[in-house]
Each structure stands twice: as structure tokens, then as C-alpha cells.
Amino acid sequence: MMPTIVKKLAVEVVHARDLIPKDGQGTSSPYVVIDYAGQRKRTRTCPRDCNPDWQERLEFIVPDPPSIDADELLVEVYHDGRLSVPARKNHFLGRVRIYGTQIPHRGNDALIYYPLEKRALLSWIHGEIGLRICQYDDILEEKKPEPTDPPPADANPAPGVGEPKDPPPPEVVAPTETAVETQSPPPVSVVVVDEAPMQPEKSPPPPAAANPLPEEPLEMYPPEVRKMQTSSFTERVRVPRRHSDIDCGPRVLSGRFAPSCEPVDRVQAAYDLVEPMQYLFVRVFKARSLLACESPYVKIQSGPHLMRTNPAREVNGRPEWNQVFALSQPKPESTLEISVCDGGQGDAFLGGVCFDLSDVPVREQPDGPLAPQWYRLEGGDDRHPGPQVTGDIMLSVWFGTQADESFTEACTSDAPSISHTRSKVYQSPKLWYLRVSVIEAQDLRFMPPPPGMPVDIRVKIQLGFQSSRTRRSTPNSNSSSFAWLEDLMFVASEPLDDHLIVLVEDRSIKEPALLGHVTVPVGSVEQRMDERQPVATKWFNLDCGNGDPTYSGRLHLRLCLEGGYHVLDEAAHVCSDFRPTAKQLWKPPVGVLELGIIGARGLLPMKTKGGTKGSTDAYCVAKYGKKWVRTRTIMDSFDPRWNEQYTWQVYDPCTVLTVGVFDNWRMFADVADDKPDYRIGKVRIRISTLESNRVYTRPFPLLVLLKSGVKKMGDIHLAVRFVCTGMLLDTWAVYTQPMLPRMHYLRPIGVSQQEALRGAAIKMVATWLTRSEPVLGPEVVRYMLDADAHTWSMRRCKANWFRIMGVIAWTIGLCRWINDIRRWKNPITTVLVHILYLVLVWYPELVAPTATLYVCLIGTWYYRFKPKGPAGMDVRLSQAEGVDWDELDEEFDAVPSGREEKVVRARYERLRTLGARVQTVMGDLAAQGERVQALISWRDPRATKLFIVVCMVVSLVLYVAPPKMVAVALGFYFLRHPMFRDPMPPASVNFFRRLPSLSDRLL
């Protein structure tokens, strides 16, 4: 028996709600048809039920597991026409398209309610269907036929023979009471190979060390899912992939990486935004038959570059390194020397190999990795005298570029061979919102408070470093029972191995007393995807602790992990992702973002070497969505050249990419604990400002705000491209959808609570990335996530004020233009306005189209002034040019303040002055609204009587006089010449200003 691994897709059709009636009697008889990868199955029919309950599980075989994310699952609901009176055809009741990126693995599946979609624009479809979907690996047993058994006669049918016909359309599928397959794969020939095949006598077996690379196990599939060699089966079984899921990059490159005569694949296309950098790659695997030595290592030298491996580890009695080195080749060198030395005996020479670089092959993408070879060690020259050299070393040497997949793990010549200088890709942890609903407690044992003091029983909940407490309890009729009915929110990170500690405290006395506690593993908490999924409440027995088994009461809680929220770890205005936690709720991507980090220029020195020489060891960090990338560190360079490129899936174009530049301090072991990486600057690029399929290559200034003021630290050169992989309408449709997931609008979280949860999420992400290698420090994470975006800053207040003035500037300009028309500064324009006004009054139906046409023309006119590329940080907009020193010191001051008392007092007085101005403006706005209410509130009886009389006169005039004549009279009166205008305010303005407000009633 040979085990066979088959990847399967399980779809559990639970039930549907609120389906449209189709049988002519107010009901429907629905059934479900599911189509996946050419496999078509259906459920039973639920007669005369618009809220059917199937509870059926259908399984499908995944023919191509690596590309399951590009597959599509189609779920369609139909009405069984046979059960109608009279019999009708099978009517369509709705469908759901589920993409491979939304299918979780077994164990993470949950009941999801999908709204049914229309098949045609004018169809009337409503309702939703509840599905539980997961993918899993199934292990089957496959029999091994005897060697003497002849192959089956129909093992290899001719193309097209024995294949089932195409399935009929869903409207005519005959309903059955059990789930049946309407299409199954054709028979496929099975070839069983013996585990130990016989070798020819004249061919010796290959040596064990000929290929030291680990062999990947072949994934096997049962005969029913193996591909046929005929094209007809492939075309019929494989479902064409959507544009949004495949072929994310351009087909043919126009950059330096593209060959001259043949197209390139996706690997090459990923590096067309940066300049190619030639490297000499050396992979050192292992050695054999060396002389007796203690700590062998390998030394690599080519021109000015000298690098060495780490000490070898013993594997089966042989030293093994398995390291990759990348030596930059700015000038062609002639030779490459590789030497094996013994570090335990004063770097004794054990042998070496010399390569002529003119014979080293050039590896072109998408070629596979170069096979290693055994090379005989040589030695005994004047530079390396010593005993007789013996042994072999396994190497592979080739020329390549940074597009080589070995580059990410290689020790480059422009950075030391330590982990803190290599380029890496990180992934943020999966974060959940944990909702704890504290309902009530019973049978609590507590000491009665002193007379006149209320009973104050509260519940305190701790999750790691997070802690929250309920409000004062509401006592029930029973003195030992208390109710809260309060929800507390926490942030939980996968793996869910933390414990939720619930404490019941008596705070009626000075020193709170613990009445009981309970510990709940977070991994055991139920997960839900939306508010429609019910979560059961549970009673937990309280434990007194200290090994006391006495019953201390019980607590009623409802616990759930909310997968329908997006856990915010970034500031809302620079967020890079809005997807919910649950993967099942993700939408398909709308495009691919490609970022080429080319280099930086003119960086300032961040540290000194030798006490006099300035130096900078710069690296870049880019963050978008859950994916973080880090370039390699370029040592001691003010103009580093990275030339690295990365890609991200884009699910919402209204998001922001953040790129930061830092100076590496953690590579120095003696100061790694005390000196964090220094920030040089960052750049934000909003994806929606990028045109599709266009490359933007430009330098961005690196600006950083210090206590001494804003400072330019240099420039970073980036290349950005946003590739829309879907239809244009799909991208436009994103703009009509809510930005945040559904749960944020149905059960919103308060602003203050949201900020507290965001702080906890930032701390969790920083802790997670700190455990990576190389470390991405917490100071880097906080700077990239704008952890201090909501701290007090006088500079930000000024910036926001001028932003408001800039927004209303067009209104002020419009008022000035109207005032110029009224004052007849340009008589010709004023006359034209009179004529246009007459046309709009006589033909009021032209008002709306004229206004929209005018806006359209203005938008078209401003196309000439559209931005040429994404903008970076703006010093003037940030009000960082002439900011006062004291304001900067206040912005960088911690909470609580560490300044002297007189400094804090002066800042407090200044803040009070600013608050008084804001208070006055808010009072003026409130007074204007209260005057409007006072028109008919009779707070001023004379003013209200006068207003009522005026309204009566106006109504009579409007009833008697033609509306067009009234409009013309009012318009001409408004546009009258200044010689007919009184310089004093009009009577209506004077009347409105005399109306009373509530300001006189304030204390």
C-alpha cells in the first residue's frame, strides 16, 4: 500500500435565508449547484421553503494545489421547477463567487453568510446563503499492482474516447433527493513505479555526494486527478483563471533585464524597475577527506574582496557550511581564489581552488540553480607552504544579478556577513479583536461595606499587557448577584496561546479585595465572522486561589474572537490595508504594486568611525499591508545603491505605501542593546494617485523633524508601478464600497477605545518583528506605523488650521468673484451674468445640467495641471519651516513631562489661550444656530411676530406673482449697481443679528 496525498475542498451548505418565491404560490423549492474546477455537484431539493436548511457536505478534488488561490468556486441556487403547479423551468435564485484566496484551511473554517448576487443587471434577487468552506489534505491508500499483471485495457484511452459529455445547463438539471455528481473526470492511466528501480549493470549508481542539495518530496495525487496527456481534458477540466489572480506583471520586459529575442517570465519581470547589478556568486557546500583539523573555514578572495565562512558543522564526519557569497564586480577581475583553512591552528592552509573568471558561467533567469561540483584541493605554493594537501570541496560558482533567488540569503561584499545586514521579508502577525461581554455574577462572597457606602463590585480582565475593568455593577434583587452587561475589547495575536485572566474585585473598601478569578485559554474562544453568527454564553466557576477549592461563585461571560473587523495598527489617514481578519471575507485583489528601491544620494553622516570620519550604514524598510520588506545594509556609504524590487497585492487602491530609511546600529554587538537604529526619513505614496501600468521614477526628499527643526537628510530614489490586473469596472467599483469591513459600521468601536486598541496592536507587531532575524526594532515599527500621530503638537494644530483655510479658499474666492460682479468692476461680465441668470430663471430645467456641465469643464481644464508623479513629504504643509524652538521641545516632550515647572506652566498658559480662542469660535457657531431656532421659538415674542408676518406677506406675494418674475426681481435686486446700494447692512442681516441666543444663559 502506497500513501497518496490528495488536497480536497469541502463545502458544507448549511442553509439560506429570505429567498425570492418562484413557484407562483409565494414559496420556492431551492437546491444548490456547486461548480469547482470542472467538478459539478448539487444538493437535495427543499420543497416549498424560502428559508431552506440543507446541512449537506460536498467535497471536491483540487487538481492543482499550488494554484488554488487562482481558482474560483461558483455556488448557484435554483428553484426546482418540477415542484411548481403547473410545472415550470428551474428558475435562478442567486449565486456566489468565492475565490481561492478566501478558502481557509481546516480548523479555521467558520459559517459565513454570503449575499446572493444577480446574474443579470435587471434581475430581482435577494437573500443570503450560509456556507462553511475549507481545504485539507486527505491521505488515501493506493494499491500496488503485481509485476505480472497486465495493464488495464482502458488504461490509456484515445483522446476524446470515454469522456463524459458537457453538463446540461442548471435550469434543466433533474432534481434528486441526494447529492449526486453531474460530471466526473475521465479515466486516467496509472503508472506505478517500484520504490527501488533496477539499474543497468554497466551504469554504476551515482555517488551519494554528487548532489548535496536536499531533494524535495514529490507530491502525489490519485489517478482521478492526474492530468491527461490530451489537450481536450485539460481545456475541459481546468477553469480559466481570472485576470485579477494571474499574470500580475507585464508579459515582455523593456528594461535591462529583458533578453533581446525571447519573452521573459514573471521572475525576470519582477526586476525591470531597477538597474541590474552584476555579482559573482559562490556557494560553499561541504568538504571531504581533509587533513585533521579543529575548526575549518573557507576563505574567498577576488580582487579587493575577501570574505570567509562561519565555522563548519560536522555532518556525517564531514565539515559542512552551505553558505552563499555575492561579490560585487565593479571592475572585471581575472581570478577567484577559494582557500580552506583551519581556524584552530593559526589559520593553517589546508588547500585551495583557483577559478579563471572568464570560464565562469552566467546564469540567466529563469534557469534553475547551478548544480554543485566536487573540486580537488590544491596547494603548496610560496604563499601557502605546508604539508601535502588532500581532500575535495563542493562548490558552485556563477555570475548573476540581484534577481537571483540566492541573493537574499547571500553575504554580500558591500556588507559584513552578519544577520543584521541582510535583506529580508517579514509578515505581520494575524491580529484579532477579542470581545468579552461581562453579563452577571452570582453567589459572590464579600464583606458588607460600611453603612452609607455603596457596594462596588467590578470585573477586571487581563490579556498579556492589556488590562480593562468594568464600571460599577448593578445589584440584582439577590444581594449576592450583580449585573454589568458591558463589552470589553482586547487585541489577540496568533498563535492564540495566551490566557485571559478574569478577576472579580470588591472595590467598596480602600484596598480592593479579590473575590475570585478564572483563567480562559484564548485558543478555546469561539471565532465568528459577522454579527449574524450567534455566540453562546458560558458560566465560569470562580476560584479563590491559593489552592482553596471552596466554591466562590460563578461568572456569566460571552467570549468571541471577532474576525469581521480590521485590526487597525496604522493611523487611519495613512492606512495600507482595510481587509478583515477572517480570510474568508477577503475580496479578490484589484492589482499589484511594484516598488523598486534604487538608491539614496547625499545622506548625512549618522556616526563616526575612528573618532573623526563620518559614516552611515543605511538600509530601507517598506511596509504595505501585512508585508514588511527590508533591504540589505550598505556599509559606510553616503550614496548607497540597493537596486532591490518587491511586490504587493493591492486590495484597495485608496491605501498608502510607506518607505523609511534607517541607519543600522544593531550590527554592532556592543551597542545593540543601548543604541536603536536611527531614523533618516520616510516617504508615503498613495496608491490611488498612481496611474495604472505606468512607472514613476523620481527622487524623494528624506525629511526628519528634530528638536532643532526640520532637516533634510538626503534623497531616496524610488521606482513605483501599480498594475491593475482586473477589469477597469472592478477597480472603479471599489470606490463605491465601504472602506472598512461591515462590522465597523454595524457594531462600531468608540474613538478612545479604538486608539487604545491601536496602541496594543502596535506593541504586538513590534514584539513579533523583534523576534525575527534580522531584528526589525520597535523604534522602526513605531516610526513606520506613526505611533505618535495623535500626540499633542502646536505645529500640527497650525498645519490643520491652514489646511482648513486651504479647503475653504475656493469658497472665499467665489464670494469675492460674486462681490466683484455686484460692484460692477467688470461691466461686461456683470451683463453676461444677468443674461445667464435670465436664461436659467426662464428655463429652470437647465439649472442642474448647466451646473454639472460647468463642473465637468472645470475638471477637464484642471487636467493640464495634474501632478506628474506621487508627492513626498511637504515641509510647508507640515508647518515645519519656521516652527518655534519651544514648540518643538514641547512636541518631543514625553508624557508625563520632564521639563521644569516654570516651562510646563508657560506651556499650560499658552494652551489655555489657544483653547480660549477655539472656545470663542465654537460659541459663535453655536450662537448662529440658536438664532435660527429663535425665529419660531418665541424666545423674543416681537421678533417671532415680525418673522411670522413677513412669512405671511412673502407667501401671499409668491401665490399672486409669477415665480419667474419674483426670481428675476430678487436677482436683479441682488446684482443692482452700487449707486443704488446702501453702504449700511441690510435689514434682514440686522434682524438676524438681533435674535437672541443662549449665550446669555451661560454661567
Side-chain angles (χ1 to χ4, degrees):
M1 303 291 291
M2 297 176 57
T4 304
I5 301 177
V6 182
K7 181 171 283 294
K8 290 187 177 181
L9 177 66
V11 182
E12 183 179 351
V13 184
V14 183
H15 54 268
R17 300 174 179 173
D18 195 22
L19 300 180
I20 58 174
K22 282 294 185 179
D23 63 351
Q25 299 178 1
T27 60
S28 293
S29 300
Y31 64 93
V32 179
V33 178
I34 303 179
D35 194 345
Y36 176 74
Q39 307 168 62
R40 196 175 180 87
K41 298 184 179 182
R42 57 158 291 172
T43 65
R44 70 181 189 278
T45 300
C46 293
R48 298 177 182 85
D49 191 356
C50 290
N51 299 289
D53 191 1
W54 289 284
Q55 300 290 342
E56 290 193 30
R57 179 184 176 92
L58 306 179
E59 295 186 352
F60 302 87
I61 296 176
V62 181
D64 191 4
S67 63
I68 187 174
D69 288 348
D71 293 338
E72 183 181 279
L73 180 70
L74 181 61
V75 181
E76 295 179 319
V77 185
Y78 291 94
H79 163 67
D80 190 352
R82 293 196 316 166
L83 301 183
S84 301
V85 180
R88 302 182 181 183
K89 68 175 184 178
N90 297 347
H91 289 280
F92 177 75
L93 300 181
R95 69 180 177 184
V96 175
R97 293 182 182 273
I98 302 171
Y99 307 100
T101 55
Q102 300 175 258
I103 302 176
H105 293 276
R106 184 162 56 185
N108 296 328
D109 54 330
L111 178 61
I112 305 294
Y113 291 93
Y114 298 92
L116 295 175
E117 302 174 356
K118 302 178 181 179
R119 188 169 57 183
L121 181 62
L122 301 179
S123 61
W124 182 257
I125 297 296
H126 60 75
E128 56 188 8
I129 183 171
L131 303 174
R132 193 187 303 271
I133 309 173
C134 68
Q135 54 176 307
Y136 65 96
D137 294 331
D138 192 11
I139 301 179
L140 304 179
E141 296 291 336
E142 181 180 354
K143 279 192 175 183
K144 192 189 303 183
E146 299 294 333
T148 58
D149 292 345
D154 55 348
N156 293 310
V161 178
E163 296 183 356
K165 299 181 179 180
D166 292 337
E171 287 77 9
V172 297
V173 174
T176 58
E177 295 301 326
T178 57
V180 296
E181 290 192 22
T182 59
Q183 180 178 356
S184 58
V188 186
S189 60
V190 181
V191 179
V192 181
V193 182
D194 194 356
E195 294 180 356
M198 298 180 60
Q199 299 288 344
E201 295 182 0
K202 295 183 180 181
S203 300
N211 188 6
L213 293 176
E215 297 183 358
E216 298 182 357
L218 298 177
E219 189 172 7
M220 305 186 65
Y221 304 98
E224 58 267 25
V225 298
R226 294 181 183 171
K227 294 183 178 180
M228 290 281 291
Q229 299 299 323
T230 60
S231 60
S232 59
F233 173 76
T234 305
E235 294 175 358
R236 182 168 49 80
V237 172
R238 295 294 297 159
V239 178
R241 300 181 184 176
R242 302 176 71 252
H243 290 286
S244 61
D245 295 330
I246 62 169
D247 198 13
C248 297
R251 280 287 184 180
V252 181
L253 282 181
S254 58
R256 296 185 177 92
F257 277 66
S260 58
C261 59
E262 60 182 8
V264 299
D265 71 343
R266 187 69 184 93
V267 178
Q268 278 183 286
Y271 282 87
D272 64 334
L273 297 183
V274 295
E275 300 176 358
M277 302 175 65
Q278 189 180 31
Y279 286 91
L280 173 62
F281 288 90
V282 180
R283 180 183 287 273
V284 182
F285 283 97
K286 54 186 176 181
R288 65 183 180 185
S289 303
L290 295 179
L291 295 176
C293 55
E294 297 181 4
S295 179
Y297 69 91
V298 178
K299 185 167 57 176
I300 302 170
Q301 184 173 5
S302 177
H305 303 304
L306 177 62
M307 307 182 71
R308 56 177 293 176
T309 65
N310 298 327
R313 63 178 186 273
E314 292 290 333
V315 179
N316 296 329
R318 296 177 178 178
E320 184 173 320
W321 297 275
N322 197 15
Q323 284 186 255
V324 185
F325 299 88
L327 285 68
S328 60
Q329 298 292 313
K331 296 181 180 179
E333 303 293 341
S334 58
T335 59
L336 168 67
E337 297 182 2
I338 300 177
S339 306
V340 182
C341 303
D342 185 5
Q345 299 181 4
D347 296 337
F349 178 72
L350 302 178
V353 180
C354 186
F355 290 87
D356 187 355
L357 296 186
S358 60
D359 298 332
V360 173
V362 178
R363 181 187 173 192
E364 297 287 351
Q365 297 291 339
D367 295 345
L370 193 65
Q373 294 181 350
W374 287 104
Y375 294 91
R376 178 71 62 182
L377 293 177
E378 301 175 355
D381 54 1
D382 296 337
R383 293 185 299 171
H384 304 291
Q388 183 67 29
V389 174
T390 61
D392 303 319
I393 186 171
M394 178 175 282
L395 303 169
S396 57
V397 183
W398 73 94
F399 280 109
T401 62
Q402 72 270 30
D404 199 298
E405 65 265 16
S406 300
F407 182 76
T408 57
E409 58 177 320
C411 299
T412 58
S413 56
D414 51 9
S417 58
I418 57 179
S419 60
H420 291 291
T421 61
R422 299 181 184 177
S423 59
K424 290 294 180 181
V425 177
Y426 306 86
Q427 194 74 14
S428 294
K430 188 176 182 180
L431 302 178
W432 295 77
Y433 279 146
L434 173 61
R435 184 188 298 273
V436 181
S437 300
V438 184
I439 302 175
E440 61 177 333
Q442 294 181 358
D443 303 334
L444 297 182
R445 300 180 181 181
F446 61 94
M447 294 295 294
M453 295 292 295
V455 178
D456 188 2
I457 305 297
R458 305 194 184 192
V459 177
K460 181 181 178 181
I461 302 179
Q462 297 177 354
L463 179 61
F465 61 88
Q466 305 174 71
S467 177
S468 184
R469 184 182 288 110
T470 62
R471 295 186 293 269
R472 179 179 297 178
S473 60
T474 303
N476 297 333
S477 59
N478 187 359
S479 60
S480 63
S481 299
F482 300 87
W484 291 273
L485 300 177
E486 187 175 348
D487 287 356
L488 303 179
M489 299 285 289
F490 303 89
V491 179
S493 172
E494 289 192 356
L496 302 172
D497 51 3
D498 293 335
H499 288 77
L500 191 71
I501 302 176
V502 184
L503 308 173
V504 181
E505 299 176 342
D506 181 8
R507 304 183 67 85
S508 305
I509 55 180
K510 288 185 178 180
E511 296 182 0
L514 179 63
L515 303 181
H517 75 278
V518 63
T519 302
V520 182
V522 179
S524 64
V525 177
E526 181 180 353
Q527 302 176 3
R528 73 170 182 176
M529 306 300 124
D530 54 25
E531 81 290 349
R532 293 167 292 186
Q533 182 177 347
V535 178
T537 60
K538 294 182 180 180
W539 286 95
F540 296 90
N541 292 331
L542 297 177
D543 185 9
C544 286
N546 300 325
D548 186 2
T550 307
Y551 175 72
S552 303
R554 59 177 186 167
L555 188 63
H556 197 191
L557 301 175
R558 179 187 290 110
L559 307 175
C560 66
L561 290 167
E562 300 282 7
Y565 287 96
H566 169 69
V567 181
L568 288 171
D569 57 353
E570 302 169 291
H573 59 282
V574 292
C575 195
S576 62
D577 189 15
F578 296 104
R579 290 175 295 170
T581 300
K583 184 179 179 181
Q584 300 93 314
L585 303 178
W586 292 1
K587 301 294 184 181
V590 298
V592 172
L593 174 64
E594 299 174 277
L595 172 66
I597 305 176
I598 300 175
R601 186 178 297 274
L603 298 182
L604 298 183
M606 298 290 108
K607 59 174 73 76
T608 58
K609 289 186 176 181
T612 56
K613 179 186 176 183
S615 174
T616 298
D617 308 317
Y619 69 92
C620 282
V621 175
K623 195 268 181 187
Y624 184 79
K626 297 296 182 182
K627 180 179 177 181
W628 298 65
V629 298
R630 170 190 177 135
T631 66
R632 67 191 188 280
T633 300
I634 304 299
M635 298 290 297
D636 196 11
S637 175
F638 299 135
D639 300 319
R641 306 292 290 177
W642 291 286
N643 282 306
E644 299 183 21
Q645 187 168 341
Y646 302 93
T647 60
W648 288 269
Q649 294 278 357
V650 176
Y651 293 85
D652 191 337
C654 302
T655 47
V656 177
L657 167 71
T658 305
V659 182
V661 184
F662 301 88
D663 180 49
N664 198 334
W665 280 85
R666 279 188 167 80
M667 61 184 181
F668 304 107
D670 54 342
V671 297
D673 297 334
D674 301 328
K675 190 71 172 178
D677 291 346
Y678 192 84
R679 59 189 187 187
I680 299 178
K682 65 182 174 183
V683 177
R684 298 193 192 99
I685 300 175
R686 185 166 290 274
I687 310 303
S688 59
T689 61
L690 306 177
E691 295 185 11
S692 180
N693 303 320
R694 180 178 178 182
V695 179
Y696 295 87
T697 304
R698 53 160 295 185
F700 295 86
L702 293 173
L703 305 173
V704 63
L705 187 65
L706 306 174
K707 293 184 179 180
S708 58
V710 66
K711 192 173 185 179
K712 182 179 179 181
M713 310 297 289
D715 297 285
I716 182 172
H717 198 187
L718 302 177
V720 188
R721 176 170 57 197
F722 173 53
V723 181
C724 286
T725 57
M727 303 296 292
L728 183 62
L729 293 178
D730 295 338
T731 306
W732 286 358
V734 177
Y735 283 83
T736 64
Q737 299 172 359
M739 183 170 292
L740 291 171
R742 187 169 180 263
M743 287 289 289
H744 284 271
Y745 303 96
L746 298 180
R747 300 194 66 177
I749 303 175
V751 177
S752 59
Q753 188 179 24
Q754 187 70 68
E755 285 302 315
L757 294 174
R758 177 173 172 260
I762 292 176
K763 189 172 181 179
M764 286 186 175
V765 173
T767 304
W768 176 272
L769 296 179
T770 303
R771 296 198 294 262
S772 304
E773 188 67 29
V775 172
L776 204 59
E779 72 280 357
V780 175
V781 176
R782 293 181 60 84
Y783 184 60
M784 296 289 291
L785 295 180
D786 283 334
D788 57 347
H790 296 283
T791 56
W792 164 254
S793 171
M794 182 69 72
R795 175 188 59 84
R796 289 198 184 101
C797 289
K798 292 181 180 179
N800 292 334
W801 169 256
F802 284 106
R803 287 172 58 196
I804 295 175
M805 298 302 296
V807 169
I808 65 176
W810 70 272
T811 307
I812 299 175
L814 178 61
C815 294
R816 290 176 179 175
W817 179 77
I818 295 176
N819 191 36
D820 293 341
I821 295 297
R822 292 185 63 201
R823 295 179 179 276
W824 291 71
K825 287 190 175 181
N826 191 344
I828 298 178
T829 304
T830 305
V831 172
L832 291 177
V833 169
H834 279 76
I835 297 174
L836 176 62
Y837 182 73
L838 285 176
V839 172
L840 295 180
V841 168
W842 242 258
Y843 302 97
E845 64 275 6
L846 297 179
V847 174
T850 302
T852 53
L853 178 62
Y854 183 66
V855 174
C856 179
L857 293 177
I858 292 177
T860 306
W861 174 260
Y862 277 107
Y863 179 79
R864 303 168 51 204
F865 312 105
K866 70 173 185 176
K868 301 300 181 182
M873 299 299 188
D874 194 334
V875 178
R876 181 174 299 177
L877 181 65
S878 304
Q879 292 295 311
E881 288 181 322
V883 62
D884 187 67
W885 174 87
D886 186 57
E887 295 178 359
L888 283 176
D889 185 69
E890 180 184 14
E891 182 174 348
F892 283 95
D893 192 10
V895 178
S897 177
R899 300 296 181 264
E900 299 178 357
E901 180 181 355
K902 59 180 181 180
V903 176
V904 177
R905 181 181 295 274
R907 292 174 181 174
Y908 173 66
E909 297 297 338
R910 182 177 60 190
L911 185 60
R912 289 179 60 187
T913 305
L914 178 62
R917 295 177 183 175
V918 175
Q919 169 186 303
T920 303
V921 174
M922 294 173 61
D924 292 341
L925 293 177
Q928 305 307 320
E930 292 166 355
R931 289 192 176 104
V932 174
Q933 295 177 349
L935 288 172
I936 56 176
S937 65
W938 293 88
R939 291 194 63 238
D940 187 344
R942 299 175 185 84
T944 303
K945 289 178 183 178
L946 183 58
F947 178 71
I948 292 175
V949 171
V950 172
C951 289
M952 180 63 69
V953 173
V954 171
S955 62
L956 293 177
V957 171
L958 293 178
Y959 273 117
V960 175
K964 295 181 180 179
M965 298 303 298
V966 174
V968 170
L970 291 177
F972 279 29
Y973 176 78
F974 181 77
L975 297 174
R976 67 191 185 279
H977 199 275
M979 69 175 61
F980 305 108
R981 188 178 295 119
D982 189 359
M984 299 302 292
S988 59
V989 175
N990 296 331
F991 174 77
F992 183 78
R993 289 176 178 175
R994 290 178 178 274
L995 291 173
S997 66
L998 300 180
S999 301
D1000 53 352
R1001 301 178 61 180
L1002 295 177
L1003 293 176

